[in-house]
Amino acid sequence: MEEEAREDDSPQTQREPSCNDLKQSSQDLPVPNEPVAMEEVVIIDKKAVEKLTEGLLSHYLPDLQNSKLALQELTQNQVVLLDTLDQEVTKFRECNGLLDLNSLFTEAKVYHTKLVTIRKEMLMLHEKTTKLKKRALKLQQQKQKEALEKEQQRERELERERQLVAKPARRT
């Protein structure tokens, strides 16, 4: 603290212009011929403007630089968060894809079960048709046998009738 007080007292440091200095510098300016309202007259001292600018910058610049760094950090964090969020969205899509895949496997299992059932039914129908064909063949053979027996019976009856018909005796 003492060093700062010494620096202020040293002749090397420039002091900021006071109100009296500004009034004196304004008295040095030429007065226009026309009457001008006091509000319109602006007195500009370049040194004062520079000092005020430096003071303003020194007062706000560190905070602005800190804010800029904080914003850069936030922007970087936001980019990281967006990348992470994108990865999570990709994971959710993959999970939804897996759910769709699981439903497809479940559906495939159901259709496989139906296919196995249809195959069993087809095998059963094939066995039934084979049995029916064998039975039809047996019935056809039995009918043919009966028809042959009837034909043979009729021929025997015809032969018997021929034998029963009177034959004229031969004279010898």
Side-chain angles (χ1 to χ4, degrees):
M1 296 280 274
E2 291 177 25
E3 290 176 358
E4 289 176 9
R6 285 185 203 154
E7 286 177 9
D8 290 340
D9 294 336
S10 68
Q12 291 178 349
T13 57
Q14 297 176 353
R15 61 181 185 86
E16 293 186 22
S18 67
C19 288
N20 291 332
D21 292 338
L22 290 175
K23 285 180 185 178
Q24 286 177 359
S25 63
S26 67
Q27 290 173 358
D28 296 340
L29 291 175
V31 178
N33 294 338
E34 298 176 13
V36 178
M38 289 304 272
E39 294 175 354
E40 294 180 14
V41 175
V42 177
I43 302 169
I44 300 175
D45 184 13
K46 288 186 178 182
K47 289 182 181 179
V49 170
E50 286 178 16
K51 292 282 185 179
L52 287 172
T53 304
E54 286 177 15
L56 184 66
L57 286 176
S58 66
H59 184 268
Y60 288 109
L61 191 61
D63 289 338
L64 290 173
Q65 287 174 342
N66 289 340
S67 297
K68 181 180 177 182
L69 290 175
L71 284 173
Q72 286 175 344
E73 185 179 343
L74 285 173
T75 303
Q76 289 173 350
N77 290 341
Q78 189 177 22
V79 168
V80 170
L81 285 174
L82 286 173
D83 289 342
T84 305
L85 185 62
D86 189 37
Q87 291 172 358
E88 292 297 320
V89 166
T90 303
K91 286 179 184 179
F92 281 122
R93 286 185 181 148
E94 288 174 2
C95 286
N96 285 340
L98 288 176
L99 290 176
D100 292 341
L101 190 61
N102 286 337
S103 67
L104 285 176
F105 276 121
T106 304
E107 191 175 343
K109 187 176 179 180
V110 168
Y111 284 122
H112 177 50
T113 305
K114 287 181 179 182
L115 183 64
V116 168
T117 304
I118 290 171
R119 185 170 181 214
K120 285 179 183 178
E121 288 177 3
M122 287 181 68
L123 286 173
M124 186 178 66
L125 289 173
H126 177 69
E127 289 175 6
K128 284 184 178 181
T129 56
T130 305
K131 287 179 183 178
L132 285 174
K133 284 180 182 178
K134 285 181 182 179
R135 186 173 173 206
L137 182 63
K138 285 182 184 178
L139 286 173
Q140 185 180 12
Q141 287 174 348
Q142 187 177 1
K143 283 185 178 182
Q144 286 176 352
K145 186 176 177 184
E146 287 177 4
L148 182 63
E149 286 177 3
K150 281 184 181 180
E151 186 64 33
Q152 287 175 353
Q153 180 69 25
R154 207 174 102 218
E155 285 181 13
R156 275 187 257 150
E157 285 179 11
L158 284 174
E159 185 64 36
R160 192 171 161 223
E161 281 182 26
R162 276 191 223 149
Q163 288 178 0
L164 287 178
V165 172
K167 294 184 183 177
R170 288 190 188 172
R171 291 185 194 181
T172 38

